[in-house]
Amino acid sequence: MDFAFSRRGLLQGAAAVGGALAANAAHAGPVADARAARHPGWVFGRMTGAEALCEALRAEGVGCVYGIPGAQENELWDTFKEKGIPYLLVTHEFSAACMADGYARSTGRPGVLCVVPGPGVTNSLTGLGEALLDSSPLVAIVGDVANGEKAKPFQVHSLNQVELLKPVCKCVYQVQTVAQIAAAVRQAFVTAAEGEPGPVAVVVPYNLFIEAHDYRTPPPAAPAPPFDEAAFARALPLLADKKHRVGIYAGVGCMAYGAELAAVAELLQAPIATSVSGRGAVGDGHPLAVGWGFGPHASEVAEKVFAGDKKHPLKSGVDTVLAIGVKFSEVSTGYYGNPQPKHVVHVDANHCNLGRVLKTDVCVHADAGLFLGRLLACGDQLRRPEDRWLLNRIRDLKADAARSLCNIPAAKCGVDPLATVAALRKVLPEDALLFTDVSVTEHLAAEHFRVCHPRTYFNPVDNQAMGWSVPAALGAQRVHHGKAVATLTGDGCLLMSALEITTAAREHLPVKFVILDDQSYHYMQMLQKPAYLRTTATILTRLDYRALAQAFGVAYVEIASHAELEAKLRGAVCHDGPVLVRVVTDYGKREVRWVDAVRARYTKELTAAQKARFLARIGSRAIQLEKKSD
């Protein structure tokens, strides 16, 4: 079975699965028996739909299924237990999707969730949307109302599951008969991982779980990764031209190819910047790694290196950007604030992503690994002498940035969030997994938290789903036994998914939940106050975190000053169970490059009339004696 799906092909799965079934039928009988013996991984024999689904998951080596059972899927969940399929009960289907996402990002393999129709599906949509926009491979096993001659109208949960799932999935397979189940599930794993990864749903009417069928289902054929030879031929001389200084901008598409990416950078003597999702593709300790982004919103080291030294005309900046496995999305570019280089070569496995934001010389539809491998094969054409000036400049700028983290002034009423970021890096092992969330601190962490290894730093980037970090961290911890896992979560984000901490207690998943508590949506305050001279709907309730931790059944640590920050965080990390860490946070006048850059860019794009309206409103409020914020 060789199927090609676009980013949002949203194809009905019945036809594709039907084709697979036709192939299966051709191999029935003694020939099929012999072939199954020669080819492990087939779903083979007479079994129920639930059993066939479990065998398909087993063939894919699934490490855990995340979800909540319900009336339509009790047969399936009971079969999970009978067949030894690992599973984890969650508190909410949003969390199931996020946990599967955390599994996928941290392992590089598709994560699996299992939800019932109706509210189970609708609750999971936000997490699936995050995975879709962040290119994370998921397989959602979705129950559906009964079908067939005996099916009655007005069944409970009889929403149109397929149509609900289409906007947040790369593809949806709608199973119509019990015979289709195994092929649909196996194909879903291929589709989720091929090209640009993303979530795929398999929708199964619940009555099919108890029906039986003689299965002869081979593993699906994985399509060859894309590679545009003609475009590569056009890109090569541009990258080989020694008159141009090349810089690399790498996304999550490069995460599995860190060694090749570093080798290409060394050939080209090119600084390596990444998107937020691409952080860790090459460790920050590499001499050519400069952090994330290359504009005013992102790493100051990256911005300065890509811009060059304007005091020395011979030390020019990057004029040719090689962008690999990256989309130039709004968040990673600071509201599309990356400067336009003179030349751009854009490489991506999804042709729909190419050349959409920056003016691009060559668009190469290609798998990142194949492209990097081909560049290495052309090493004689690309190799440049070692650029000591560039290496020394990167080293010195990194050293300046590191010194600044050692001299963070004490906050007046708590802890500066940047100090928390710096302390976490000191106390966490280099291979620990850190899951950040949608707080203003996500941008501080993206710039200043040193990432040493691939698949160790995670952020909900393009759907910005608040509360993502808590369940995503649990999903990863469930399969990374013995590895340190932590979250960096705002108090507003915690309110979205706090009850999932009970799952950590129940299963003894030793995640360290670091919560930045300032009783407000500070991110919104930073955006609202300059524009409106007041804040609206940003004040949160004052929680008793100690009582909350006791109710959840986890350990508790409270940090209220810089003096106790590092020692208490270290103690929490060393604790052998889950810990809720409340950090009393004072943002004070902490500047955030991303926020400042986005605000400046947004203001610049306003029309004259729009600017006049803002200024008039600000002027009238500036003379008011009372400015109400809530």
Side-chain angles (χ1 to χ4, degrees), residues 303-382:
E303 183 187 22
K304 289 182 176 179
V305 169
F306 271 62
D309 189 344
K310 294 180 173 55
K311 296 179 181 178
H312 299 85
L314 295 179
K315 308 300 183 184
S316 60
V318 166
D319 61 5
T320 300
V321 167
L322 171 58
I324 312 175
V326 68
K327 291 186 289 194
F328 293 96
S329 66
E330 179 179 351
V331 173
S332 272
T333 60
Y335 192 50
Y336 313 105
N338 278 343
Q340 172 66 55
K342 185 175 181 180
H343 300 291
V344 175
V345 175
H346 192 181
V347 182
D348 200 85
N350 182 359
H351 67 89
C352 296
N353 295 337
L354 293 169
R356 297 286 300 279
V357 176
L358 293 182
K359 183 180 177 182
T360 303
D361 296 77
V362 184
C363 293
V364 186
H365 181 212
D367 172 79
L370 285 180
F371 182 85
L372 291 167
R374 287 291 299 276
L375 286 183
L376 291 174
C378 300
D380 290 342
Q381 293 174 252
L382 298 173

Side-chain angles (χ1 to χ4, degrees), residues 233-465:
R234 295 195 302 274
L236 190 61
L238 189 57
L239 298 174
D241 188 341
K242 307 300 191 296
K243 297 192 297 294
H244 298 299
R245 186 184 293 276
V246 178
I248 294 174
Y249 182 49
V252 70
C254 295
M255 193 60 69
Y257 309 110
E260 294 89 339
L261 182 63
V264 167
E266 290 159 10
L267 272 180
L268 296 169
Q269 288 296 286
I272 312 163
T274 73
S275 66
V276 178
S277 297
R279 298 225 54 214
V282 170
D284 287 337
H286 191 281
L288 288 166
V290 295
W292 80 284
F294 55 91
H297 58 284
S299 163
E300 186 174 8
V301 175
E303 183 187 22
K304 289 182 176 179
V305 169
F306 271 62
D309 189 344
K310 294 180 173 55
K311 296 179 181 178
H312 299 85
L314 295 179
K315 308 300 183 184
S316 60
V318 166
D319 61 5
T320 300
V321 167
L322 171 58
I324 312 175
V326 68
K327 291 186 289 194
F328 293 96
S329 66
E330 179 179 351
V331 173
S332 272
T333 60
Y335 192 50
Y336 313 105
N338 278 343
Q340 172 66 55
K342 185 175 181 180
H343 300 291
V344 175
V345 175
H346 192 181
V347 182
D348 200 85
N350 182 359
H351 67 89
C352 296
N353 295 337
L354 293 169
R356 297 286 300 279
V357 176
L358 293 182
K359 183 180 177 182
T360 303
D361 296 77
V362 184
C363 293
V364 186
H365 181 212
D367 172 79
L370 285 180
F371 182 85
L372 291 167
R374 287 291 299 276
L375 286 183
L376 291 174
C378 300
D380 290 342
Q381 293 174 252
L382 298 173
R383 186 171 289 106
R384 303 181 185 211
E386 184 180 77
D387 190 334
R388 291 310 310 171
W389 176 84
L390 174 65
L391 294 170
N392 289 339
R393 181 162 172 76
I394 294 173
R395 181 200 62 205
D396 293 345
L397 289 171
K398 284 182 177 178
D400 291 344
R403 280 192 292 271
S404 71
L405 292 182
C406 297
N407 298 293
I408 300 171
K412 291 182 180 179
C413 304
V415 177
D416 186 310
L418 185 55
T420 302
V421 171
L424 276 172
R425 180 64 286 173
K426 288 182 181 179
V427 304
L428 287 171
E430 285 194 348
D431 66 347
L433 312 184
L434 180 65
F435 289 80
T436 65
D437 218 308
V438 188
S439 70
V440 70
T441 304
E442 68 179 306
H443 305 301
L444 295 174
E447 180 174 8
H448 296 287
F449 187 84
R450 185 168 51 86
V451 182
C452 305
H453 301 287
R455 303 194 187 283
T456 58
Y457 180 88
F458 312 96
N459 189 209
V461 180
D462 287 329
N463 204 35
Q464 290 280 283

Side-chain angles (χ1 to χ4, degrees), residues 72 184 231 353 400 454 489 514 566 568:
Q72 291 89 351
N353 295 337
D400 291 344
T489 307
V514 179
E566 186 174 334
K568 285 193 171 182

